[in-house]
Amino acid sequence: MKEQDSLSKVKTLFGKELNPSNIMPHKLTMESKIKFRCHPGVRCFTACCGGIKIVLTPYDILQLTKRLDMPAYEFLHKYTEPTYLEKTDMPGVQFKLREDDNKCPFVTPEGCTVYSDRPTACRYYPVGMADFHEGGSRGADGEEKSTEEEKFFFLVKEDHCKGFEEDKTWTIEEWRADQGVDIRDEMNKEWLRLVMRRKSYGQQASLSDQAKRMFFMASTDLASFRRFIFESSFLDTYIIDEETIEKIKNDDVELMHFSFVYLAATLFGAQTLEIKKEKVLAKMKDIEKRQDESVLESVREYEELKAQRAKEKK
């Protein structure tokens, strides 16, 4: 595939809609150099914080709720609105822009009030990273085959941005480290893989309402997900070692990573969690019982139909 074609297909960055005409048609590597700097003295300062769609990752939400010292449900209600992720049916949230000026709720003329905990998409700008692939496939046994991913970077150069006129030069690697993007990418990696896996399925399959609710809860509200684990039959169903149980009980980041493991298993059948043997046997018996009941019902309906036809012939 040609470089220009692959770049033109990159439409979003963590939910931020991008105009392909603003994407520079050059693939960048970690060693590629860019000339850019943003600071309060630049003429366009905070101009990029309005008229945007910024989707929040689970780690973004975790860091912002800690910063603001508020529970996730309150943060979601006050600062976000629902959206769908990467044009799939997977539910997520994006910042709710202010009604009076259509800007991020945390931006002021002096800058971002949550700057050290700002979302991943804000950290990347004006650099973008793409995980480009043509979609997944399945083998003869029905198992999903992994796809080849092509990771590359690109620049988003918008007319209003004067940061490119500054005299600071970086490599992409230096920019990522300075902005804390490398850490964010590691934290977001498995969640983004879930979204990309769903996207590769296309429209031929859809998530159930229950699956959507579970994905949304695990992605946005870790406190509710923790209650689900420890206050439901979860630990009676899955084999979870004591060390992991202790970690997810007390560490939000560990819990977040565990949620990705759980979602991969329940949404896509990944072999990441093992169900207790007795639960599997009970499920098999339940299926067999329902199958038997279905067969008996079919036989009953057939006998009734046969009797009805015999009566009509008399």
Side-chain angles (χ1 to χ4, degrees):
M1 178 173 290
K2 293 181 179 179
E3 181 175 301
Q4 178 65 51
D5 293 338
S6 62
L7 280 167
S8 68
K9 291 189 177 184
V10 180
K11 301 292 186 183
T12 60
L13 175 62
F14 293 107
K16 179 171 181 176
E17 296 293 336
L18 300 173
N19 180 347
S21 66
N22 292 327
I23 296 176
M24 298 297 97
H26 303 289
K27 293 181 183 179
L28 305 177
T29 68
M30 286 286 196
E31 292 73 39
S32 297
K33 292 184 177 181
I34 61 170
K35 187 179 177 182
F36 183 83
R37 182 169 175 248
C38 182
H39 56 92
V42 72
R43 284 180 293 154
C44 61
F45 190 58
T46 75
C48 57
C49 302
I52 51 176
K53 177 185 177 182
I54 297 292
V55 169
L56 303 178
T57 70
Y59 190 66
D60 291 338
I61 295 170
L62 173 59
Q63 294 303 101
L64 285 166
T65 52
K66 285 185 176 180
R67 168 68 173 261
L68 300 169
D69 192 24
M70 63 170 56
Y73 69 85
E74 184 180 338
F75 170 81
L76 296 174
H77 176 74
K78 187 173 182 178
Y79 294 113
T80 75
E81 58 189 8
T83 188
Y84 285 106
L85 305 173
E86 294 292 334
K87 299 182 180 177
T88 70
D89 56 354
M90 299 181 92
V93 295
Q94 65 188 45
F95 269 151
K96 186 192 304 179
L97 302 183
R98 293 192 297 248
E99 292 184 2
D100 57 343
D101 60 3
N102 202 35
K103 284 199 168 188
C104 169
F106 297 106
V107 72
T108 68
E110 290 73 39
C112 177
T113 59
V114 293
Y115 186 78
S116 60
D117 295 298
R118 65 198 184 282
T120 307
C122 305
R123 294 169 184 269
Y124 253 111
Y125 189 84
V127 175
M129 182 186 75
D131 284 342
F132 180 80
H133 55 77
E134 292 294 340
S137 60
R138 293 180 178 272
D141 58 359
E143 287 293 315
E144 183 182 1
K145 297 166 68 177
S146 61
T147 58
E148 291 296 324
E149 293 184 355
E150 179 190 0
K151 296 181 188 294
F152 59 87
F153 303 94
F154 56 90
L155 275 185
V156 179
K157 206 165 186 178
E158 298 176 290
D159 291 340
H160 66 74
C161 183
K162 306 305 179 186
F164 293 98
E165 299 174 3
E166 296 293 302
D167 58 0
K168 178 68 175 178
T169 300
W170 322 68
T171 63
I172 294 295
E173 185 174 18
E174 289 170 341
W175 172 260
R176 284 164 48 81
D178 182 76
Q179 299 297 305
V181 169
D182 46 0
I183 298 172
R184 292 287 174 136
D185 278 352
E186 187 61 31
M187 291 294 174
N188 295 324
K189 180 173 61 178
E190 295 305 321
W191 183 75
L192 287 172
R193 283 179 177 171
L194 293 173
V195 177
M196 290 300 103
R197 181 182 288 191
R198 177 70 192 94
K199 189 176 183 180
S200 72
Y201 281 26
Q203 300 300 317
Q204 69 266 32
S206 60
L207 294 176
S208 67
D209 288 341
Q210 182 180 359
K212 291 177 184 177
R213 286 194 295 270
M214 179 54 68
F215 178 82
F216 185 82
M217 177 185 71
S219 298
T220 63
D221 191 344
L222 286 175
S224 293
F225 184 63
R226 182 176 277 121
R227 287 195 296 272
F228 165 71
I229 292 175
F230 291 101
E231 298 177 16
S232 72
S233 60
F234 184 92
L235 294 178
D236 293 328
T237 302
Y238 294 97
I239 300 175
I240 311 295
D241 64 85
E242 289 299 324
E243 183 181 357
T244 298
I245 290 174
E246 195 61 28
K247 285 181 178 179
I248 64 179
K249 185 184 294 183
N250 301 297
D251 189 317
D252 285 339
V253 173
E254 292 286 348
L255 179 64
M256 181 190 72
H257 287 304
F258 182 78
S259 75
F260 305 155
V261 172
Y262 172 72
L263 290 172
T266 55
L267 299 186
F268 302 109
Q271 303 300 306
T272 50
L273 287 179
E274 185 178 356
I275 299 177
K276 293 182 177 180
K277 187 175 180 180
E278 60 268 27
K279 291 293 181 179
V280 175
L281 293 174
K283 186 68 173 178
M284 290 175 64
K285 287 182 179 179
D286 181 57
I287 292 173
E288 289 173 357
K289 180 182 178 182
R290 284 189 277 114
Q291 288 177 334
D292 289 343
E293 291 174 349
S294 178
V295 170
L296 290 173
E297 179 66 15
S298 297
V299 170
R300 185 185 64 78
E301 291 177 353
Y302 173 72
E303 292 296 339
E304 289 179 356
L305 180 62
K306 189 166 67 172
Q308 179 66 29
R309 288 180 177 175
K311 188 183 295 185
E312 291 172 353
K313 288 182 178 179
K314 291 181 179 181

